[in-house]
Amino acid sequence: MPSSSVSELNQDLGLKFARLALGHVRRPYPFKLDQVLAGDEDVKPPRELHPIFHGSFDWHSCVHGYWLLARLYRRLPIEPAGLEIANLFNEMLTPDKVAGELAYLQRPTSAGFERPYGWAWLLMLSAELERIEGQPWAANLRPLAQAFADRFKAFLPKATYPIRTGTHYSTAFALTLAHEYANEVGDHELVRLVETTARGWYLGDAGANAWEPSGDDFLSPTLMEAECLRRVLPSADFRAWFSRFLPEAAERRPASLFTPATVSDRSDGKIAHLDGLNLSRAWCWRSIAKSLALTDPARRVALAAADEHLAAGLEHVAGDYMGEHWLATFALLALEA
């Protein structure tokens, strides 16, 4: 994969990422279901349960594989991969297949399906498709996106506490992506709900200890919270909050946030998450740095930390399927931050 010196998205890298995703979004097995069985009739192959998102090892990875392809299709001339992406979307993002995904979602036993990580990624995919002009894909997916937006609207008011983790259950990550979607499509109700929830959960936090990473983190609980609030607060308010939340950032403390994670076995799906942690930290550090004042010494340190984490993660995007089916998504987030 790319040299660790790469720090920006380019055509060559985009083509490599597109080839990776095109190679796994329709790969049927191995596949890990997120399913509660109501009876024998629920035991079916993934392609029957999920007419669109039945590749990439699991549903949510398939969804954000499609997001990566949509993003690259819009952002870069990556022919002939661009034509392959369009053909894939024309075949898969159809009203009847969206209806099949909705049917699975509406089963009584699917209330907690992919909450909140898959919910958020489906909305991000929808937002990206909305930015592509002249194609029916966004319109076709809207019923499914609306269903997940409605789930956020029903869930967040009763979610008394955030989930402070570095895995799929992270509420900070979910709010971050849902906020981007809501702003893109003009869902003002969801925008207000996300912002109110994020403020209530995180605004009082200060002096983060950053006891991380855990052994299968692919998100930083600390930095993801900061990135979430960066999205919902005015710049001045965010800078004031960040100075309280990580008051010693300019001194590279807590040290754990500035030290790339060590990955001992990339064939172990959980341990391989740590490559994603390095990439998602690079994404967060870059984004946070750009919101800090030019004179803030933490800005320079944050940018350096982003470079270190990106270098540690980027060269491992391909090589073993346990990482290959999802890591390019987080590499793209980092490169475009």
Side-chain angles (χ1 to χ4, degrees):
M1 279 309 289
S3 165
S4 60
S5 63
V6 174
S7 61
E8 302 293 339
L9 181 66
N10 56 51
Q11 186 173 351
D12 182 60
L13 196 52
L15 181 59
K16 289 179 180 179
F17 287 174
R19 287 286 174 218
L20 285 175
L22 287 166
H24 64 66
V25 294
R26 300 187 69 178
R27 176 173 170 173
Y29 297 105
F31 193 87
K32 181 179 182 292
L33 288 169
D34 177 5
Q35 185 172 357
V36 177
L37 302 179
D40 289 353
E41 67 278 4
D42 287 343
V43 182
K44 297 177 182 178
R47 65 183 178 276
E48 295 184 24
L49 298 167
H50 304 296
I52 303 173
F53 306 116
H54 53 255
S56 307
F57 189 78
D58 50 38
W59 190 89
H60 54 255
S61 297
C62 196
V63 170
H64 66 67
Y66 272 77
W67 171 85
L68 179 142
L69 291 171
R71 184 79 170 179
L72 293 173
Y73 179 87
R74 184 175 69 86
R75 291 277 287 112
L76 292 174
I78 50 172
E79 300 306 336
L83 179 60
E84 293 177 46
I85 293 169
N87 289 339
L88 172 73
F89 287 6
N90 286 333
E91 179 183 352
M92 303 299 285
L93 299 180
T94 63
D96 62 319
K97 291 185 176 180
V98 169
E101 294 283 350
L102 269 172
Y104 184 89
L105 196 63
Q106 291 164 354
R107 299 173 343 138
T109 55
S110 294
F113 174 70
E114 289 285 353
R115 187 178 83 187
Y117 185 76
W119 298 9
W121 269 120
L122 193 285
L123 295 186
M124 275 286 278
L125 170 59
S126 178
E128 191 57 40
L129 293 175
E130 293 287 352
R131 299 174 181 126
I132 298 174
E133 299 180 355
Q135 298 290 352
W137 309 323
N140 291 347
L141 195 68
R142 279 175 202 152
L144 189 60
Q146 186 61 57
F148 281 108
D150 289 344
R151 290 195 171 204
F152 269 111
K153 292 172 186 177
F155 171 65
L156 291 179
K158 65 181 181 182
T160 307
Y161 308 105
I163 302 175
R164 301 174 185 275
T165 182
T167 60
H168 305 89
Y169 301 104
S170 166
T171 46
F173 182 83
L175 290 183
T176 298
L177 271 56
H179 191 256
E180 180 167 334
Y181 160 84
N183 277 303
E184 178 65 32
V185 304
D187 188 335
H188 303 299
E189 179 187 357
L190 185 54
V191 169
R192 288 191 296 269
L193 181 57
V194 167
E195 292 182 354
T196 299
T197 302
R199 287 170 177 268
W201 281 346
Y202 305 125
L203 202 56
D205 290 355
N209 288 311
W211 287 317
E212 55 177 87
S214 296
D216 68 350
D217 281 353
F218 63 92
L219 301 166
S220 163
T222 307
L223 296 182
M224 201 66 246
E225 176 179 337
E227 174 60 8
C228 179
L229 278 189
R230 187 190 71 82
R231 303 286 185 109
V232 307
L233 294 178
S235 294
D237 291 351
F238 172 72
R239 292 171 181 176
W241 175 85
F242 187 77
S243 69
R244 298 190 301 272
F245 185 60
L246 289 173
E248 297 182 295
E251 288 76 48
R252 294 178 62 95
R253 290 196 293 267
S256 59
L257 293 180
F258 298 89
T259 306
T262 298
V263 186
S264 62
D265 183 357
R266 291 185 169 86
S267 68
D268 184 304
K270 293 293 189 180
I271 295 175
H273 274 183
L274 294 165
D275 277 321
L277 174 66
N278 288 332
L279 292 168
S280 65
R281 279 185 176 179
W283 166 49
C284 289
W285 273 130
R286 276 189 168 188
S287 300
I288 290 165
K290 291 176 181 179
S291 292
L292 299 178
L294 292 175
T295 56
D296 188 337
R299 177 186 169 94
R300 175 183 54 80
V301 172
L303 289 171
D307 288 345
E308 291 172 34
H309 281 85
L310 184 62
L314 195 56
E315 63 183 301
H316 300 296
V317 167
D320 190 285
Y321 193 60
M322 286 297 97
E324 196 168 285
H325 75 270
W326 66 280
L327 281 171
T329 294
F330 285 85
L332 186 58
L333 286 172
L335 289 164
E336 290 211 307

